[in-house]
């Protein structure tokens, strides 16, 4: 008996959000199917892959990552190499040095890094904060201001600082707002609601609904993304139809399986191999669960995930 495929049709679709300006832009979202369900409908915009760099330079980088950036003496050099990485669609600059509990760099110092990186590349740029809500509320509006006209994605808008970041990035300087919540569909929706109530256009919002490294409570990530996509498409919930971006690198390279040296754990094998495997597995799972873009660090991970996307769509 022949198999008759019955496509699953939705009347709703994920919003399209374009990042970048000029000839170099990437567009997230736009699909009316579940991830990689190209047998139901063609994908309007394939998932995208970003390369993470830090204002702290190559401090603590694994052997393979450091080798790729060999010879890069400045943040501009690092940014150029990141943009040229095989499979890269955009660059994501993390301003981790601003953390008051870490290097505690000043806002002015970080803004100079932002300007240096932005001036070195012409590809789309994503800028993440330092994970301190008070410092990010001060820092990210300044980032949005100095990058006017670049149509960048300003990440790290949270419930605690959405008024400062959302108003600056989404209204005053016409950037894209990255709404970050903690692996919960209700929290994700609520942040989108209050951000749009500020006056930010829903078409200028991208969600970061949280993540985890595979093996570390990852089932919560899968279920959250699955519920968000289900509500966005099946229930036509316009407060959950924003595309999703997931910073994978910061999660995977922090766990012990990726960070422990081979000297400390010889039975685990080379650290670089472990880190790449954790990064690839997490990114692949995020994309299958519903993420429209992932942010990675290792050149092998970026190339592999890019090739996977091309093979599946």
């Amino acid at each position: 008996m022949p198999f008759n495929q019955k496509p699953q049709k939705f009347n709703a679709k994920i919003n399209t959000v374009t990042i970048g300006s000029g000839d170099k832009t990437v567009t997230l979202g736009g699909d009316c199917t579940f991830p990689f369900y190209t047998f139901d409908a063609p994908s309007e915009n394939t998932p995208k892959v970003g390369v993470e760099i830090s204002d702290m330079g190559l401090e603590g980088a694994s052997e393979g990552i450091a080798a790729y950036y060999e010879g890069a003496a400045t943040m501009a050099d690092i940014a150029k190499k990141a943009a040229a990485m095989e499979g890269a669609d955009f660059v994501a600059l993390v301003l981790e040095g601003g953390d008051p509990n870490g290097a505690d760099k000043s806002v002015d110092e970080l803004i100079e890094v932002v300007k240096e990186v932005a001036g070195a590349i012409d590809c789309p740029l994503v800028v993440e904060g330092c994970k301190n809500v008070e410092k990010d509320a001060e820092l990210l509006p300044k980032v949005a201001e100095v990058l006017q006209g670049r149509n960048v994605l300003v990440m790290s808008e949270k419930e605690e600082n959405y008024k400062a970041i959302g108003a600056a990035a989404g209204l005053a300087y016409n950037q894209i707002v990255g709404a970050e919540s903690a692996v919960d569909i209700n929290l994700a929706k609520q942040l989108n609601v209050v951000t749009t109530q500020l006056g930010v256009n829903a078409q200028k919002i991208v969600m970061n609904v949280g993540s985890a490294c595979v093996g570390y409570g990852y089932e919560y990530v899968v279920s959250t993304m699955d519920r968000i996509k289900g509500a966005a498409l099946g229930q036509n919930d316009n407060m959950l139809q924003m595309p999703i971006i997931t910073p994978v690198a910061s999660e995977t390279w922090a766990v012990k399986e990726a960070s422990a040296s081979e000297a400390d754990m010889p039975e685990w094998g080379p650290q670089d191999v472990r880190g790449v495997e954790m990064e690839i597995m997490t990114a692949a799972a995020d994309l299958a669960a519903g993420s429209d873009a992932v942010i990675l660090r290792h050149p092998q991970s970026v190339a592999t995930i890019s090739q996977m996307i091309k093979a599946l769509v």
Side-chain angles (χ1 to χ4, degrees):
M1 185 175 179
F3 172 71
N4 295 316
Q5 176 72 31
K6 294 183 179 180
Q8 186 175 19
K9 299 289 187 180
F10 294 108
N11 294 322
K13 65 187 298 185
I14 303 302
N15 297 344
T16 56
V17 178
T18 298
I19 306 170
S21 58
D23 296 333
K24 297 287 186 72
T25 63
V26 297
T27 301
L28 308 182
D31 283 355
C32 59
T33 65
F34 289 122
F36 302 116
Y37 276 40
T38 50
F39 42 79
D40 283 341
S43 179
E44 183 172 316
N45 296 295
T46 60
K48 301 299 187 291
V49 182
V51 180
E52 180 192 277
I53 61 175
S54 168
D55 70 289
M56 300 298 289
L58 299 173
E59 182 179 310
S62 75
E63 181 180 344
I65 295 171
Y68 176 80
Y69 290 102
E70 185 177 2
T74 66
M75 284 303 305
D77 294 337
I78 292 172
K80 288 176 183 177
K81 288 207 168 193
M85 194 176 288
E86 179 188 350
D89 296 303
F90 61 91
V91 170
L93 171 62
V94 182
L95 300 174
E96 61 179 327
D99 187 356
N101 298 312
D104 196 20
K105 293 183 180 181
S106 70
V107 170
D108 289 342
E109 187 177 359
L110 293 168
I111 290 300
E112 289 305 310
V113 174
V114 170
K115 291 193 288 188
E116 181 181 358
V117 168
I121 59 176
D122 59 1
C123 68
L125 179 62
V126 172
V127 181
E128 295 183 49
C130 65
K131 299 187 183 300
N132 179 279
V133 292
E134 291 83 9
K135 186 68 168 282
D136 283 347
E138 179 187 3
L139 168 64
L140 295 177
K142 296 288 187 181
V143 170
E145 180 182 5
V146 299
L147 295 178
Q148 285 184 82
R150 290 292 294 264
N151 194 37
V152 301
L153 170 56
V154 180
M155 299 275 281
S156 308
E157 182 217 45
K158 299 180 181 179
E159 184 179 2
E160 298 90 339
N161 58 21
Y162 78 92
K163 291 182 179 178
I165 297 172
L171 295 176
Y173 304 113
N174 198 33
Q175 311 283 19
I176 310 298
V177 178
E180 180 179 344
S181 52
V183 198
D184 184 289
I185 184 173
N186 297 312
L187 294 177
K189 181 173 180 176
Q190 177 62 20
L191 186 52
N192 290 337
V193 168
V194 296
T195 302
T196 55
Q197 286 175 345
L198 282 176
V200 178
N201 189 328
Q203 306 288 333
K204 301 280 284 185
I205 299 173
V206 174
M207 293 186 288
N208 170 14
V209 300
S211 185
C213 184
V214 287
Y216 284 81
Y218 188 77
E219 62 273 14
Y220 291 103
V221 178
V222 172
S223 61
T224 298
M225 288 191 186
D226 187 58
R227 291 179 65 199
I228 288 173
K229 289 294 184 182
L233 298 175
Q235 300 172 26
N236 196 16
D237 190 331
N238 60 10
M239 284 295 102
L240 289 171
Q241 288 172 345
M242 295 73 171
I244 297 172
I245 187 169
T246 308
V248 173
S250 57
E251 295 285 344
T252 55
W253 288 95
V255 300
K256 60 184 179 182
E257 289 84 355
S259 61
S261 69
E262 189 173 3
D264 291 336
M265 301 297 294
E267 66 273 22
W268 286 3
Q271 177 191 358
D272 215 55
V273 173
R274 288 184 267 118
V276 169
E277 289 176 347
M278 298 296 282
E279 194 168 34
I280 289 173
M281 287 189 291
T282 304
D286 283 334
L287 293 171
S291 187
D292 298 278
V294 290
I295 299 173
L296 308 176
R297 193 178 293 172
H298 198 287
Q300 186 177 340
S301 304
V302 172
T304 300
I305 291 298
S306 179
Q307 292 164 9
M308 184 200 82
I309 292 169
K310 292 176 182 176
L312 290 176
V313 297

